[in-house]
Amino acid sequence: MGRYSRLRRIRHMDPRQDHELIFRWITQYEFPRDYLHGTSIAFLRDYGVPRVSRLLDRTQEFERAGQKRYDDTVLLAYELVREGMDSEHGRAAARHLNRIHGRYRIPNDDFLYVLATTVVGPKRWIDRYGWRRLSPQETETLALVGSRMGEMMGISGVPDTYAAFERLHDAYEREMFAYDPANRRVAAATLRVMASWYPAPLRRVASRIVLAVLDEPLLAALGFRPQSRVLRAAVHRAFRVRAALIRLLPGRPEWLPRKPVARTYPFGWTLDDLGPHWAHSRAPEPLADETPPRPVPSPSPSPVPPSTARAFRQES
């Protein structure tokens, strides 16, 4: 398959009708690793908001089981779209995600921002370091998938265009980014997870490379110093060289999608494996567009016919 074959097809597609197919092409064929890199940076951006990082710090999920927490987040998003977001499996994944979040009192604004990072983060990463920029159809696809995901999670005020997601994302960061010790603790735990993917001698370098691609407002909120200008330039150049080399390769064939590789689950996973163990004891609630099951009324005793009642009184 030619490198630009899918792009030519996407340009003639309507994201409103075909966003799930376009999203699958983005994440499994055109930019599988870049989409994952952008999502990983989105995780770090969440920690620049003290209200978010304090909650994550209290749960100690990243300290105790950081790799599982990372894998579960990636896999739940994958399971939501694997068979279609409105398929029974997609709805089951959404209900499972909601019952995990339902334990905590999370403001709607925080839900909106975290959702926006999963739309804006991959787009900005791909445009900066991918082998090509996203087309307008692909950009709106990210927004439509994010919007539908927000609806299924019961979030109110979810944007339905990329421009609206981007405005929300940037305005929230200008208002809410601030340093807090919890920010640094959760970010450091996540960086340790990312560094653990590499051989021990390379882990420190891997962490510095991640920090080199972060912007200064985020670094300040996380409590990390900016990396040297030389390292930032070298990392940027290396990613651009990588993009140029990928551009020379043929497109990924249809029979070879790139699916998530979860280090926590070397033998595969099911939906029940994902999330904290306590979540499975919570009953899932219906989604916003589902009708809750009606309680079955208990049988009431049959009324006594009036004639029988009169006869009984006469006998008494």
Side-chain angles (χ1 to χ4, degrees), residues 7 10 57 87 89 92 94 110 115 122 145 148 189 208 221 251 277 306:
L7 176 60
I10 289 171
D57 191 42
S87 67
H89 183 80
D110 291 352
L115 182 65
V145 170
R148 181 62 184 136
R208 293 188 64 191
H277 64 87

Side-chain angles (χ1 to χ4, degrees), residues 10-281:
I10 289 171
R11 283 175 172 162
H12 293 90
M13 297 169 73
D14 180 0
R16 294 278 170 182
Q17 297 179 1
D18 304 315
H19 57 273
E20 290 192 347
L21 175 58
I22 297 173
F23 185 77
R24 187 159 57 249
W25 283 351
I26 292 171
T27 57
Q28 297 183 22
Y29 292 94
E30 295 288 274
F31 306 100
R33 292 198 64 85
D34 286 300
Y35 181 84
L36 186 59
H37 290 329
T39 303
S40 299
I41 299 301
F43 291 163
L44 293 172
R45 301 201 77 83
D46 297 340
Y47 311 151
V49 180
R51 200 160 59 187
V52 174
S53 60
R54 287 172 191 158
L55 172 60
L56 295 171
D57 191 42
R58 285 198 304 272
T59 66
Q60 290 291 293
E61 290 288 340
F62 278 98
E63 290 291 344
R64 292 196 302 262
Q67 183 64 62
K68 175 176 168 55
R69 176 65 169 76
Y70 180 95
D71 287 340
D72 288 354
T73 303
V74 172
L75 293 177
L76 275 168
Y78 170 73
E79 294 295 329
L80 271 169
V81 300
R82 179 164 65 88
E83 297 180 10
M85 300 183 74
D86 286 302
S87 67
E88 181 49 42
H89 183 80
R91 287 177 170 272
R95 287 191 289 267
H96 184 47
L97 183 62
N98 289 346
R99 71 177 171 182
I100 294 172
H101 290 145
R103 181 176 180 176
Y104 308 105
R105 296 174 62 88
I106 302 175
N108 190 74
D109 287 350
D110 291 352
F111 270 129
L112 276 174
Y113 171 66
V114 172
L115 182 65
T117 62
T118 66
V119 174
V120 177
K123 155 73 172 167
R124 289 181 173 175
W125 178 276
I126 291 171
D127 284 354
R128 187 179 184 188
Y129 294 126
W131 62 272
R132 63 170 174 82
R133 296 174 66 88
L134 288 179
S135 68
Q137 293 84 359
E138 291 167 320
T139 300
E140 288 308 310
T141 286
L142 294 182
L144 291 168
V145 170
S147 181
R148 181 62 184 136
M149 189 179 298
E151 291 173 358
M152 298 177 80
M153 293 175 65
I155 304 172
S156 60
V158 180
D160 63 353
T161 66
Y162 177 80
F165 267 114
E166 193 170 46
R167 286 193 300 270
L168 184 154
H169 176 279
D170 294 346
Y172 190 89
E173 289 189 352
R174 285 193 298 269
E175 180 181 355
M176 302 297 290
F177 264 12
Y179 173 71
D180 188 277
N183 299 11
R184 184 180 174 93
R185 285 194 295 270
V186 180
T190 304
L191 286 171
R192 286 195 294 272
V193 170
M194 295 178 177
S196 69
W197 304 338
Y198 302 92
L202 300 178
R203 289 175 185 172
R204 181 177 176 82
V205 175
S207 297
R208 293 188 64 191
I209 289 173
V210 174
L211 294 175
V213 299
L214 304 184
D215 55 88
E216 293 195 15
L218 176 57
L219 288 169
L222 298 179
F224 294 114
R225 294 193 304 270
Q227 299 299 299
S228 69
R229 184 177 301 176
V230 173
L231 178 61
R232 294 201 305 270
V235 170
H236 178 79
R237 192 174 301 113
F239 277 118
R240 294 309 304 155
V241 169
R242 167 185 170 273
L245 294 176
I246 293 175
R247 196 176 301 121
L248 299 175
L249 299 175
R252 185 178 286 269
E254 290 291 333
W255 56 269
L256 191 61
R258 191 183 192 283
K259 298 181 180 179
V261 177
R263 293 168 173 81
T264 307
Y265 310 105
F267 306 109
W269 66 88
T270 67
L271 200 56
D272 289 337
D273 295 324
L274 309 181
H277 64 87
W278 51 258
H280 302 284
S281 63

